[in-house]
């Protein structure tokens, strides 16, 4: 919000972000140019597979189908994003699966049926979901917990902490669930390989599947982009079917500038430092 204030006040000419709620209003301002597109980010609920109730695939599948990603985009992002059904964002076109996966669709009937198969069908303990601050990250958890509890009768709760503390707890395994995300600018392995493979350095969750590991290894050695993308899609299919995580959304990225700025091309990973040579003012 401070960047928007500085832009409208004439102190700066270009900024890389704005609160999601501001975008519809800023787009009506004739003194500004607002660029947006789906980003290279993935936002999801991470879960600790080493702890009950997330050690049970049926419980995980039930939760994954118990909340509406489209509603989350509307309420949390004010429409500035798209629902996710995996980790790879739509901007990474050659590895993005366009068909929405069933386990990432809201389906209350199927969710309840899946819960009935679980050994935790009557799980009555609280399930805290870590988040930080009072921003849209916290709102994501609030919407997630509310919807899942209404659908399944569970007791997901919101646990707010400082961001570095949340990260440290994820790394140490001291959590049950947490809102999380990643912004990888180049390669699908930054999403699938590093988050879902057994030895992935961002796999803090204890998820492990030998087929996913093998597909990631094969993809890393494949130079043909179409073939690489297909391998990562297969790995992602397996992980989503096992509800290894709960995909939420990919948020839009924004660049705001005065009408005096020209020669700027928006990039989906929010970086504009390497474009300064082509930017003109006036």
């Amino acid at each position: 919000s401070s960047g928007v204030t500085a832009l409208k006040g004439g102190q700066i000419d270009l900024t890389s972000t704005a609160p999601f709620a501001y975008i519809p209003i800023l787009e009506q301002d004739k003194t500004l140019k607002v660029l947006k597109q789906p980003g290279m980010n993935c936002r999801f609920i991470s879960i600790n597979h080493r702890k009950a109730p997330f050690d049970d695939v049926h419980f995980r599948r039930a939760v994954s189908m118990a909340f509406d990603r489209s509603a989350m985009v509307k309420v949390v992002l004010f429409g500035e994003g798209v629902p996710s059904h995996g980790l790879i964002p739509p901007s990474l076109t050659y590895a993005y699966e366009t068909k929405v996966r069933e386990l990432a669709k809201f389906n209350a009937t199927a969710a309840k049926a899946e819960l009935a198969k679980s050994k935790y069908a009557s799980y009555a303990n609280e399930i805290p979901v870590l988040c930080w601050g009072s921003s849209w990250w916290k709102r994501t958890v609030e919407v997630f917990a509310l919807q899942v509890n209404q659908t399944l009768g569970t007791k997901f709760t919101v646990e707010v902490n400082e961001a570095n503390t949340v990260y440290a707890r994820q790394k140490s395994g001291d959590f049950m669930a947490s809102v999380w995300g990643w912004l990888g600018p180049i390669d699908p392995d930054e999403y699938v390989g590093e988050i879902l493979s057994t030895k992935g350095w961002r796999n803090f969750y204890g998820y492990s599947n030998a087929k996913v590991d093998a597909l990631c290894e094969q993809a890393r050695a494949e130079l043909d982009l179409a073939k690489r993308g297909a391998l990562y899609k297969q790995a992602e299919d397996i992980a989503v079917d096992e509800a290894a995580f709960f995909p939420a959304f990919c948020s839009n990225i924004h660049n705001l500038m005065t009408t005096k700025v020209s020669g700027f091309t928006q990039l989906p990973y929010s970086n504009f430092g390497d474009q300064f040579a082509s930017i003109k003012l006036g």
Side-chain angles (χ1 to χ4, degrees), residues 198-221:
T198 302
K199 296 182 179 179
W201 78 270
R202 279 190 289 275
N203 182 350
F204 308 138
Y205 329 115
Y207 175 70
S208 181
N209 183 295
K211 290 183 179 179
V212 170
D213 292 345
L215 286 165
C216 288
E217 285 297 320
Q218 186 179 350
R220 290 171 187 140

Side-chain angles (χ1 to χ4, degrees), residues 232-247:
Y232 283 116
K233 289 179 189 179
Q234 291 178 50
E236 202 176 33
D237 284 341
I238 295 170
V240 173
D241 182 64
E242 294 188 326
F245 62 100
F246 306 142

Side-chain angles (χ1 to χ4, degrees), residues 161-201:
N161 218 314
E162 191 268 332
N164 289 331
T165 301
V166 174
Y167 179 56
R169 287 181 60 180
Q170 285 234 35
K171 289 185 69 176
S172 68
D174 179 25
F175 76 105
M176 292 183 69
S178 177
V179 65
W180 207 242
W182 178 243
L183 172 64
I186 299 173
D187 197 274
D189 198 69
E190 295 180 274
Y191 304 87
V192 177
E194 294 182 5
I195 294 174
L196 294 176
S197 64
T198 302
K199 296 182 179 179
W201 78 270

Side-chain angles (χ1 to χ4, degrees), residues 141-173:
V141 176
E142 290 172 339
V143 173
F144 167 79
L146 177 65
Q147 288 191 319
V148 175
N149 290 344
Q150 287 179 340
T151 303
L152 299 178
T154 46
K155 295 181 180 178
F156 282 86
T157 61
V158 182
E159 182 178 352
V160 182
N161 218 314
E162 191 268 332
N164 289 331
T165 301
V166 174
Y167 179 56
R169 287 181 60 180
Q170 285 234 35
K171 289 185 69 176
S172 68

